[in-house]
Structures are given as structure tokens and as C-alpha cells.
Amino acid sequence: MRCWRARAASRVIRWGADGRGASGAGPLRGGRPGRAGRCAFQDTTLSYGELDARADRLAAHLSGRGVGPESRVALVLPRSTELVVAILAVLKAGGAYVPVDPASPADRIAYLLEDSAVELAVTAREAAHALPGGAGARAVVLDAPETVHALADGPARPSPRPVVRADAAAYVIYTSGSTGRPKGVVVTHGNVARLLHAAEEEFTFGPDDVWTMFHSYAFDFTVWELWGALAHGGRLVVVGLDTARAPEEFARLLAGERVTVLNQTPSAFYRLTEALDGEPGLYGQLALRTVVFGGEALDWSRIAGWVERSGKGGPALVNMYGITETTVHVTSHRAQPGPLAPGTASVIGRALPHLRAYVLDAACRPVPAGVRGELYIAGGGLARGYLGRPGLSATRFVADPFGGPGARMYRTGDTARWTASGTLDYLGRNDDQVKIRGFRIELGEIEALVAGHPSVAQGAVVVREDQPGDHRLVAYVVPAGQSPDGAGGFDQGGLRRSLAEALPEYMVPAAFVALERMPLTTNGKLDRRALPAPEYGVAAAYVAPATPTEEAVADIWAEVLGLEWDQVSAEEDFFSLGGNSVLSLRVIARVRTMFDIDPSARVMFDFPTVSSLAGKIEEMIIAEIENGS
């Protein structure tokens, strides 16, 4: 990525003929004075020159700590301009960055650091607590006094500059694993450069564009958001976590920052549209020119109003199907103004110029148009494989019988069909992998933890859509030690807390259903269709909120869950009332605003009732008063 060179005149991304970047070329070129060519987060704005200089100094420091080509450096940082600096610095030093969300459970963070065998971790004081014991000795804390002094007194750039080839690792992003542990995908500089070069043929991005970096940097959609802005000389706006979780605030940010290129998962965009509908005056303040969807299936019918405006003064709407193993985006389909044609709900279009898409049967033979088959991807976007997992890599990255010697193709596990017009329709998975809010999830990873809990004899996890567009993870369990009448010692709260300690919040099931036995098909397999829908109800015995804080929390819950105030009992579990991880984030956002405190996103799992959450809020308020804040 430091090897990229953006020509100021044509904005074309070029790669050196020898597979190396042009000598001395930096990653940031072509920014214009004013609002373009800048990186901003809240009240902090860096010009490209300032961003490049900071990244050079940090890269020199990392090089002095031994970072070079193929070194892996963990980034454990909150959203900020310093996160962008750190990504650039690792790449300038020749290393590959491993994004680690500091809000992840401690066990998961420890596993990612161990499995990726990182040489260093780059963090900040507010996130350093997330590092496991012993990792601090190998950490660079950016805002620690010793690091600040070392950067100020150290060299301005690495010397000599490392030579980074196109096939060198640029980042390792972990995705959910079917065996119960995440797996790291190794993506190269050449993979990303080819993606951006292909985008030149699909879009007309330039230095006048304003992009948001909306998603978690542990989600590879941010690779597109970050480099789409920087490689074209545009302005990058890093979106704070609270703003990203509050659609109303994000809508106002889009208007205030005059954002022109918006990248969203469909789930996030549906919520944004709801927020805009609630404040329709904001529509006229938007400067959107392009909206790119990715991460999960898009239902065009849910954004019919946007489709109608597209090309008639509204932004171009582009659906881009993609996979981490094939470098963010694979196909694209641009919406056409006018009524939606039948069957367009799942259309994902054609492969990008640097890739090839095949729809094959079980014997790897092409299927005719209109016939369902498995989707395989070949070409310049294929990742190197899974870090330290040659066997798994060999089963997913297979020989391409339609390419030249040594050519590979990636077996996606997705099913699709060709249409008569030569575009692809996405038809869903052929295994237990799902996507929730853009994150790829292997149900086996969750099931392994559910089944391993001492209160569970058998467990299964599925995705249900009991209301249109509302996809929720639901766990079904046969309790251990169950009596003949079906009663058992199933501890739902304990199981939920146990999963929350091991999994990111988006992987914790929204509901748990206890069964006497698992329903089976005539072949002895789990009959998923026979699994009952979860029942979200109110407490058997209503307990009124007893304090002003409890009353305020009950009000928030009622608003978020769409319940009447007197349906929210002080002792009822938030999740048993129909709450899920997405709705819990809305509760936390309102708690932060109302009480001026900053609880973590995981507090809802630790304090899931009105009374317990109110107690935690009062405890945090008292602590802040005692600390003089």
C-alpha cells in the first residue's frame, strides 16, 4: 500500500512493472488545499502532509523495534486519526497489520495475538487494558510520554526504506471459524492495489469526494473506505463509535460533512433511512453522490425510494458482493432509476475486471443460466490463504480448471445463478455460515461454546427471520440433568454471560430456547424447520421501577423495544423482552447521552435488568464525582 502511486492528473492507481512500488512513492498523493486531501475525526483534522509525516515517524520507530516485511503488528486502538496513522505506519515499515477490536472479549483478544504471532502491538492508553498480561512488554502505547518523546527525537522516516513487493502481506483479518476458533485471512498489497485499479473502471472517485470510515477496522469493508479516500486524494471522515451506533447522529454528520461517498451494510442503511424519514429535512442537505452496499444481501425493495431517485438527482446506488478471502469486493451492480424489475432483490451483478466468477455444480462444471450452483471466484483478488492453516487453505483455495498453470479459485460456499442478461443472483449459503450486520459468522463457532457450557447437554444455533428484515441468532438447548418432565437446570443468564465473555457482541444469540429434545428429520439430522420461534414476553410478575434511575432506564428500554412503559419490569431480562445486540447498543447510546457517562457496549450483558443496570449507572456516576470529573 505504501507502494501505490496516484497520478494527480488521471487519479489512476499504478503498480510498478517489477511488482514493487515506485521508488520513494508515498501512499498519499493528489490532495487539494481546503477540505480535500485531509483526514478528520471529531475536532482533529490532519492534512495529507501531516498524516504522512506522522506515519513516517511511527514507521521509523516500528522499524527500530524490528518490524519489516512479513512482520505482523496488532493494532488495538479506538477510532481516531491516530488509527489511520498507525495503519499507514505499519505498512510503511513493511509489516502487515492485524486489527483487534479493543471491545472484544479478553479471551478472543488473547487468541488473536497468539494465533497471529504478532511481533508488536500498537495501542493507546484508553485501550491498553485490553491487552492480555505479558503483551504490554511488546506494546507501543502511542500517547504514553515515553513514546511521544521517542517519536519526537527519533528519525523522520525509516532508513533505508523497506522494499515491499506486491505479494507481501498487507493485513491479516480474522473471520469466524467453523471449528470454534477464528481464522486469519492473509491479504497482500497487490490484492488491494488491483481492487482499487478495478474500481477506476467502475467509478469516478476523485479529490473532491468525502468518504466516511464508518465500520470497525476489524471488518475489511474499512479497507475500501480508507483507501478509497486516500488513494484518490479525497477527504476521510473517521466516524466515532457512538455516532456510528446512532443513525440520527450519523445522518446529521453526513449532512454536516457534505459526505459524497457512503459505504454501508444494508442493515445499517435501512436504519439510516428510518432516521432520515424521521427528519425529512435532512434529505435536502445531503451531498451523496455514490452509495456502495456490501457485507450482506441487499433487498432493493426496502430502498425503493432511493432507487427511484438514483440518477434523477439522487446518488448512484451500487451493490457490491464481496468476501474477505477475495479482498473486500467481487461483483458490482448499479441500480437503474425506475420501478424495480421482478427478481432484482438479490442481484449482485458482474465480477469486477480483475476477477472471474464461476457458478459450478458439485463436479465443478459450469451450470446453465437460471440453474443454482456454487459460486467460485478466481483472479487477482484472491488472498494468500489462511494464516498457519495450509490444510484449510487447500480446501477453500482450489485449483482453477479454467485458468492457466497454478491458477487458483476460491470456493465461496455461496450459491448463485446466472440470469439471461449475464448478471448474478445471490441465492444464499450452502452451509452453516451466515452474515449478521455485515460480519461473517460460522454458526459452528457459537454452537461449540453453547454445547460446551456445563448447563447444556445439546445445543444448536440458527438464524431466524420471524419479522421481515430482522435477522436474529437464536440458540436452542437441551438442558443438562433434565428431569423426565422436561425441566432442567438451564441457566440462561449464565450461558449468555459465558458467551459474552468469549464472543463479540454481534455473535451472542438474541434468544435462548430450552427444549426437552432436539427435533430430528427422518434421516436423524437436526430438523431446523421444526425449531419453535422464541417467545419474547414480559415478566411473569411485574415489579415497578423503584428509583428515578430505574424509571429512566425503564423509559429507555420501552422506547428502544417498542413497549409500553408499564410492560418493562425492573427485574425482567432485556433480552427476554425481545432485545438483541443491536438494540442493546441503542440503549447504551441513550444512557451515555442521558447520564453523561461512558459504559462499555458489553455492560448490557453483565447488567441485563433495569434494576442491575440502574445500579451500575449510579456506581459509575459516583465514581466520576469522586474522581473529580
Side-chain angles (χ1 to χ4, degrees), residues 142-197:
L142 293 178
D143 50 355
E146 59 271 20
T147 305
V148 173
H149 293 151
L151 294 177
D153 297 337
R157 61 183 57 85
S159 180
R161 286 182 180 271
V163 174
V164 182
R165 299 188 61 87
D167 58 0
Y171 61 83
V172 179
I173 281 186
Y174 276 78
T175 65
S176 183
S178 59
T179 60
R181 284 297 194 178
K183 55 188 182 295
V185 181
V186 183
V187 179
T188 70
H189 289 259
N191 292 148
V192 182
R194 293 183 192 102
L195 169 66
L196 294 177
H197 183 71

Side-chain angles (χ1 to χ4, degrees), residues 476-494:
Y476 293 87
V477 302
V478 175
Q482 189 165 250
S483 62
D485 63 359
F490 174 50
D491 178 8
Q492 179 182 148

Side-chain angles (χ1 to χ4, degrees), residues 436 446 461-464 466 470-476 492 496 499 505-513 534-536 561 573-584 605:
I436 300 289
I446 309 172
V461 179
V462 302
V463 174
R464 298 190 64 98
D466 295 309
D470 184 13
H471 296 87
R472 297 189 180 195
L473 289 168
V474 177
Y476 293 87
Q492 179 182 148
R496 186 187 299 278
L499 296 182
E505 48 84 16
Y506 61 84
M507 292 179 68
V508 177
F512 295 81
V513 179
E535 295 182 2
Y536 301 107
L561 295 172
D573 188 287
F574 175 79
F575 300 96
S576 68
L577 287 171
N580 56 29
S581 59
V582 174
L583 296 177
S584 75
F605 294 100

Side-chain angles (χ1 to χ4, degrees), residues 230-297:
L230 300 187
H232 294 91
R235 185 169 189 261
L236 179 67
V237 178
V238 180
V239 181
L241 188 57
D242 288 347
T243 301
R245 289 170 170 170
E248 299 83 2
E249 292 183 25
F250 184 52
R252 288 189 283 272
L253 179 143
L254 294 177
E257 297 287 354
R258 306 296 291 166
V259 171
T260 63
V261 182
L262 175 62
N263 302 277
Q264 291 274 271
T265 62
S267 295
F269 192 76
Y270 302 152
R271 293 176 58 203
L272 175 64
T273 296
E274 293 172 1
L276 287 167
D277 289 342
E279 200 170 340
L282 280 177
Y283 275 108
Q285 301 176 38
L286 297 177
L288 293 177
R289 189 172 66 86
T290 305
V291 178
V292 175
F293 300 102
E296 60 187 358

Side-chain angles (χ1 to χ4, degrees), residues 195 198-199 202-203 320 329-332 350-356:
L195 169 66
E202 300 286 317
F203 302 94
M320 299 189 76
H329 293 312
V330 171
T331 69
S332 71
R350 294 179 172 87
L352 295 174
H354 67 308
L355 296 168
R356 301 182 302 279

Side-chain angles (χ1 to χ4, degrees), residues 321 323 358-364 372-376 395-396 410-416 426-435 440-443 525 528:
Y321 163 84
I323 314 162
Y358 308 124
V359 181
L360 308 177
D361 63 15
C364 283
R372 184 186 192 119
E374 184 169 358
L375 183 60
Y376 288 74
T395 63
R396 304 303 296 186
Y410 177 70
R411 183 179 184 181
T412 68
D414 290 326
T415 60
Y426 174 79
L427 300 177
R429 296 290 301 175
N430 67 356
D431 56 20
D432 287 336
Q433 188 185 103
V434 298
K435 282 196 173 182
R440 195 171 74 192
I441 297 171
E442 294 276 5
L443 296 179
K525 296 181 179 180
R528 296 180 183 273

Side-chain angles (χ1 to χ4, degrees), residues 395-600:
T395 63
R396 304 303 296 186
F397 295 86
V398 298
D400 179 5
F402 313 104
R408 299 179 304 154
M409 59 183 184
Y410 177 70
R411 183 179 184 181
T412 68
D414 290 326
T415 60
R417 68 185 171 209
W418 291 109
T419 67
S421 62
T423 61
L424 286 165
D425 276 347
Y426 174 79
L427 300 177
R429 296 290 301 175
N430 67 356
D431 56 20
D432 287 336
Q433 188 185 103
V434 298
K435 282 196 173 182
I436 300 289
R437 290 154 50 200
F439 290 97
R440 195 171 74 192
I441 297 171
E442 294 276 5
L443 296 179
E445 182 175 352
I446 309 172
E447 287 183 343
L449 292 172
V450 171
H453 193 269
S455 70
V456 175
Q458 288 180 274
V461 179
V462 302
V463 174
R464 298 190 64 98
E465 188 180 7
D466 295 309
Q467 297 182 9
D470 184 13
H471 296 87
R472 297 189 180 195
L473 289 168
V474 177
Y476 293 87
V477 302
V478 175
Q482 189 165 250
S483 62
D485 63 359
F490 174 50
D491 178 8
Q492 179 182 148
L495 177 57
R496 186 187 299 278
R497 287 189 295 273
S498 176
L499 296 182
E501 291 172 358
L503 297 169
E505 48 84 16
Y506 61 84
M507 292 179 68
V508 177
F512 295 81
V513 179
L515 302 173
E516 182 178 350
R517 65 180 61 87
M518 290 289 180
L520 302 178
T521 66
T522 55
N523 294 328
K525 296 181 179 180
L526 177 66
D527 187 354
R528 296 180 183 273
R529 294 184 179 181
L531 293 170
E535 295 182 2
Y536 301 107
V538 298
Y542 175 77
V543 178
T547 68
T549 306
E550 289 186 7
E551 291 177 354
V553 171
D555 277 338
I556 293 172
W557 284 23
E559 177 189 355
V560 169
L561 295 172
L563 300 174
E564 296 298 326
W565 183 86
D566 58 1
Q567 289 182 294
V568 180
S569 169
E571 299 303 326
E572 181 69 347
D573 188 287
F574 175 79
F575 300 96
S576 68
L577 287 171
N580 56 29
S581 59
V582 174
L583 296 177
S584 75
L585 297 180
R586 298 187 192 180
V587 170
I588 293 302
R590 285 163 171 75
V591 166
R592 287 170 175 157
T593 301
M594 178 176 291
F595 296 99
D596 194 25
I597 56 176
D598 189 24
S600 73

